[in-house]
Each structure stands twice: as C-alpha cells, then as structure tokens.
C-alpha cells in the first residue's frame, strides 16, 4: 500500500508519500504561503540510492485546492514524480491537531467524522479549520482513495479523569469541554514504541517519560504503553517553556496584566503564545541562536536555558512519582534530538533516582536512536528521532486493514 500523509495548515500543505511494504519515504515536500502571492513549493523525490532530487518553485498558488493539485502533478511528474497515475495513491492520512472529546481514535473519514470535527473548531480555532479544509480538498482531488484522520490528541485518551480534569466548577467540563487534552500524541506514541523496541521489551512491560522538544514542547508519562499524563493542556500553551509559549504560569498573572496594563484577551493571547517562552526571555525562539548568544556570555540566554531545562526536570520528577517506577527517559524532536546541553541540564543531579547520563554518549553527533545513559544507570536515557508522518502513515494503513477485514 502507498500512503500520502497530509498536514494542512491555514496557509500551507506539508506532504509525505510512503510505500508501506518497506515503510520507505518516496517523496515529500511543502506548499507554503498559499493565497499570499509569493507561494513556494518545495518537493523532494528520494532516489533509489537514497539521494534526494529537489525541486523548488515560486509563484501564486491561490488556494489549497490548487496547492494539492500541484502536489499531484509533482507526484506523477516524469522526472520528479514517483507514481504513474493518481490512482496509485490509495490512502491519504490526515494529521488532525485536535480531536476533542469524541474523536479519540484514528478514523476512516466520512461525512459524520467531518461533522464531529467541525464541533471541535472552538477548541482549536487556529488549527482545526485548516485540517478540515485539507480533508475537503483531498477528498475532492483523491476521489477513489480512503481518507483517514489521525489525531494529535488520541494518544492521550487514556489519561485518567483525576489527571485530565481542572479544578473548575463541574459545568465547565460538562457543558464547555474544558479539560486537559494533550498534543504531540503521534510523536509520543512513535518514540515510545521505538524506545520499547530498543530496550527489547513490549510497550506494556515498561514505563517511559517521553520528551518532545520542538518549537512547541511537551512531555508524556507512558505507563505500560498507555499515556497517563502529559504537560500540555486544553491548548498547547500549558507545561514546558517553549519557543514562544510561556508554558505553566499562575493564571492570575492575566488578571493582573489586564488590570495594570489594560491588555485585552487578544493581546494576552498573543503575549503568552507568541511573544513569551525563549523568545520573550532572550529574544530568540531558536535554540541554536540561544546557544550562540549564551556562548557570548549573554545573561538572558543563560537564564532562558536554565528555565527551559528546569521545567523539564521538574516534570521528570513529577512523572516518576505518578508512575511509581521508570525504565527510560526518551528525548525527541529538534531540541531533544540535537541539543546535548538541554538533555544534560534536564537530567543532572538525579543519580539518586537512578538517572545517570554518560557525557560522551550524550555529546555524540549520531542521528540514530541511541542510549546516552551510563551502563549502570537504572533508568535508561534515550535519544529517539521522531517521525510523525511515518506514524500517521502506519496508523492509516492499520485502520484501512481493519476496515478491509471487517467488510
Ligand atoms: P517544530 O516544532 O517546528 O517541528 P523542530 O522539531 O524542528 O520544530 O525543532 C526546532 C527546534 O530545534 C529549534 O529551536 C531549533 O533551534 C532546534 N534545533 C535544531 N537543531 C539543533 C541543534 N543542532 N542544536 C540545538 N537545537 C537545535
């Protein structure tokens, strides 16, 4: 089976195309700045020897439908393409940011699923409208393919009520669906599986803390293969210090700023989501830039890094307490996979809890799944490259196989 994975945003379409027999990436790319005049398309074809043939285009892509049609043209292009005909694309997996409280598992998309997705828009007004648009356009373009929705929130469905509830009046949950949902679930699920395999165990035999540190960041406590808590909340603003988000904060800060500076809700939203985190603290949301600044002796960059790592460390402690025992800590995504300094700071001084990092292993520049703890560390520390698109393709294939079996 060949699966096209689509991640649609309000002005972009990211895509990856896989042959699932060998879980091989055949092509991928991104259509950006849709409807903004200077749209850009970047397409990659993976050659048989592993080299990448790259095409970059500029020009107006007026809307998502034109964007996706261009993707189809590229996928069957004589030089840059990987299929002879559109009909070879039998399945399309859609990344959906928020499934709300009803869409908690991977689903084959029909009109009912789209209806239920529309109900989730108030919970994810920035992300889910783009996802719905992506589904509608893809269903119109790939009329004979099966479309499958894979939710970023789904992996967190096993979090128990005492962990997902906020201590607000009951109606806030019952009527308004205010609760923790969690995000990055596809990535947490993928690296948890990878980690179990690396340790030679079944997922249900071990307890893990998975730490996804990209531009956004979140952690998950994964007990016997099931997520039991995560740091993000009803929205991706909660938890860790992130690129531009503040993470956990006393909610009364908002009342204070509202009264003292006359800031309205929109301004507070922008402040906390877009102007805070590393960017607010030291002027850049990019960890590589932060590290450069720190090396020049920049006080703000040093403090930002300490705060970033300290928050991770606090949650490691919290999730060890939640699960009672821990087999491995797994770092993933841009910062998690590449930044030895963050990993080292987040795990330092925890030898008494059985967490002991090997500095040489931590600083190795390998890009593979690897162990960076000492040989005698009770808790293993792993670095596991994430692959959310492949996980979505796997889920899409799994769901379609179940459906074929039942028909
Ligand atoms: P996104 O959430 O946008 O997918 P990524 O997972 O690509 O983000 O992570 C982006 C972050 O990873 C940026 O802060 C970037 O600076 C950081 N990063 C990437 N490579 C390195 C590196 N070699 N050292 C430190 N940080 C890195």
């Amino acid at each position: 089976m060949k699966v096209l994975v689509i991640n649609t945003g309000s002005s972009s379409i990211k895509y990856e195309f896989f042959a699932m027999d060998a879980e091989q990436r055949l092509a991928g790319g991104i259509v950006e700045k849709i409807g903004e005049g200077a749209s850009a398309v970047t397409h990659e074809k993976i050659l048989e020897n592993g080299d990448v043939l790259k095409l970059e285009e500029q020009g107006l892509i007026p809307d998502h439908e034109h964007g996706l049609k261009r993707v189809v043209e590229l996928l069957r292009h004589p030089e840059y393409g990987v299929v002879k005909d559109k009909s070879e694309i039998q399945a399309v997996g859609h990344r959906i940011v928020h499934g709300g409280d009803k869409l908690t598992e991977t689903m084959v998309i029909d009109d009912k699923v789209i209806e239920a997705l529309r109900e989730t828009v108030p919970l994810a007004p920035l992300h889910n409208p783009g996802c719905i648009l992506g589904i509608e356009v893809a269903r119109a373009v790939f009329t004979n393919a099966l479309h499958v929705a894979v939710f970023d929130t789904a992996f967190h469905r096993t979090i128990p009520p005492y962990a997902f509830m906020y201590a607000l009046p009951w109606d806030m949950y019952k009527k308004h669906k205010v609760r923790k949902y969690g995000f990055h679930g596809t990535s947490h699920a993928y690296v948890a599986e990878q980690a179990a395999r690396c340790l030679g165990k079944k997922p249900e035999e071990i307890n893990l803390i998975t730490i996804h540190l990209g531009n956004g960041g979140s952690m998950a406590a994964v007990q016997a293969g099931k997520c039991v808590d995560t740091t993000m909340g009803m929205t991706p603003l909660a938890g860790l210090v992130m690129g531009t988000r503040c993470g956990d904060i006393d909610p009364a800060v908002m009342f204070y700023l509202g009264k003292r500076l006359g800031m309205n809700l929109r301004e507070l939203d922008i402040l906390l989501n877009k102007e805070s985190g590393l960017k607010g603290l030291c002027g850049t949301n990019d960890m590589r830039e932060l590290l450069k600044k720190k090396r020049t002796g920049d006080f703000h960059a040093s403090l930002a890094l300490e705060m970033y790592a300290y928050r991770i460390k606090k949650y490691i402690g919290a999730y060890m307490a939640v699960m009672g025992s821990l087999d491995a800590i797994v770092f993933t995504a841009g910062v998690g996979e590449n930044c030895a300094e963050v990993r080292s700071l987040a795990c330092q001084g925890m030898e008494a809890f059985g967490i002991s990092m090997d500095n040489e292993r931590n600083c190795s520049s390998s890009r593979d799944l690897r162990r960076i703890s000492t040989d005698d560390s009770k808790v293993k520390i792993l670095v596991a490259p994430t692959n959310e698109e492949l996980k979505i393709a796997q889920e899409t294939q799994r769901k379609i196989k179940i459906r074929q079996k039942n028909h």
Side-chain angles (χ1 to χ4, degrees):
M1 184 188 289
K2 289 185 180 136
V3 179
L4 179 66
V5 173
I6 295 183
N7 180 356
T8 314
S10 55
S11 66
S12 69
I13 304 171
K14 286 191 203 138
Y15 61 98
E16 295 286 329
F17 189 50
F18 295 95
M20 293 310 288
D21 299 348
E23 298 198 332
Q24 186 190 0
R25 178 181 186 242
L26 300 176
I30 182 165
V31 185
E32 289 174 286
K33 298 190 184 167
I34 295 173
E36 288 177 25
S39 313
V41 182
T42 309
H43 174 82
E44 291 181 354
K45 171 184 175 169
I46 316 303
L47 301 174
E48 269 173 28
N49 64 4
D51 286 353
V52 175
L53 187 64
K54 197 167 175 178
L55 175 79
E56 286 177 311
E57 292 180 339
Q58 298 235 310
L60 174 68
I61 305 262
D63 54 32
H64 284 71
E65 186 166 349
H66 283 82
L68 198 58
K69 284 186 170 157
R70 184 65 196 138
V71 171
V72 175
E73 282 167 13
L74 290 169
L75 288 173
R76 57 173 196 211
H77 189 277
E79 190 183 351
Y80 294 96
V82 287
V83 295
K84 288 211 169 61
D85 191 79
K86 197 169 77 172
S87 62
E88 283 179 52
I89 302 167
Q90 299 128 329
V92 183
H94 296 264
R95 179 191 181 190
I96 312 292
V97 171
H98 209 314
D101 58 346
K102 292 202 186 105
L103 302 169
T104 56
E105 281 184 52
T106 300
M107 294 197 176
V108 174
I109 297 171
D110 56 19
D111 292 343
K112 268 195 195 147
V113 171
I114 295 184
E115 214 34 60
L117 253 181
R118 286 194 208 288
E119 286 174 26
T120 65
V121 167
L123 292 172
L126 294 181
H127 293 107
N128 275 17
C131 301
I132 296 170
L133 179 62
I135 292 175
E136 284 173 336
V137 168
R139 283 177 108 200
V141 172
F142 300 103
T143 41
N144 293 321
L146 274 174
H147 294 260
V148 173
V150 182
F151 302 95
D152 258 5
T153 44
F155 183 59
H156 305 300
R157 68 180 173 276
T158 45
I159 297 177
Y162 57 78
F164 75 60
M165 288 293 295
Y166 295 126
L168 292 170
W170 180 247
D171 271 2
M172 294 298 147
Y173 166 62
K174 209 63 204 152
K175 286 197 184 146
H176 305 291
K177 304 180 196 295
V178 177
R179 51 159 286 184
K180 173 185 290 209
Y181 291 95
F183 300 89
H184 293 141
T186 315
S187 177
H188 289 293
Y190 181 79
V191 297
E193 278 170 20
Q194 296 288 314
R197 199 167 303 154
C198 170
L199 299 173
K201 300 274 187 186
K202 294 193 183 121
E204 56 273 24
E205 293 171 341
I206 50 172
N207 294 344
L208 302 170
I209 296 174
T210 50
I211 308 179
H212 176 110
L213 305 173
N215 243 318
S218 69
M219 294 170 57
V222 188
Q223 187 168 34
K226 293 202 165 93
C227 180
V228 292
D229 205 350
T230 190
T231 54
M232 282 180 169
M234 176 163 160
T235 79
L237 181 57
L240 303 180
V241 175
M242 307 179 219
T244 62
R245 298 187 197 119
C246 59
D248 291 342
I249 188 172
D250 177 350
V253 168
M254 265 86 78
F255 316 139
Y256 178 80
L257 292 178
K259 281 191 203 135
R260 191 167 173 92
L261 302 180
M263 293 178 81
N264 62 32
L265 291 178
R266 199 177 149 270
E267 288 163 338
L268 286 167
D269 187 343
I270 292 172
L271 178 78
L272 269 52
N273 271 299
K274 301 233 188 296
E275 293 170 357
S276 297
L278 300 179
K279 184 179 173 195
L281 287 165
C282 73
T284 176
N285 61 316
D286 190 305
M287 184 57 79
R288 281 166 296 199
E289 290 296 317
L290 181 151
L291 293 174
K292 270 192 214 152
K293 284 185 174 219
K294 180 176 169 273
R295 277 180 218 120
T296 65
D298 186 305
F299 161 78
H300 297 279
S302 291
L303 178 63
L305 185 68
E306 280 171 348
M307 291 171 67
Y308 185 93
Y310 177 71
R311 191 78 57 87
I312 298 169
K313 184 184 211 167
K314 273 211 306 196
Y315 272 110
I316 292 176
Y319 288 169
M320 285 179 84
V322 162
M323 294 191 287
S325 76
L326 179 64
D327 295 284
I329 295 170
V330 190
F331 286 95
T332 194
V335 175
E337 290 168 34
N338 298 298
C339 188
E341 254 169 297
V342 163
R343 293 192 298 254
S344 168
L345 279 172
C347 294
Q348 81 179 11
M350 296 180 97
E351 288 79 8
F353 299 108
I355 301 170
S356 169
M357 185 174 279
D358 182 309
N359 286 333
E360 205 172 308
R361 286 178 187 160
N362 184 36
C363 292
S364 108
S365 57
S366 159
R367 304 210 154 258
D368 299 328
L369 172 59
R370 63 195 186 277
R371 186 163 59 86
I372 56 169
S373 45
T374 56
D375 288 340
D376 60 356
S377 182
K378 186 176 157 291
V379 175
K380 311 293 173 229
I381 310 171
L382 305 177
V383 177
T386 194
N387 194 337
E388 289 166 281
E389 291 76 20
L390 176 59
K391 179 71 182 157
I392 293 170
Q394 289 169 340
E395 278 289 295
T396 301
Q397 184 185 37
R398 184 184 65 82
K399 195 68 197 176
I400 289 176
K401 281 194 172 156
I402 294 173
R403 185 189 154 105
Q404 284 165 345
K405 218 162 121 194
N406 293 342
H407 273 67

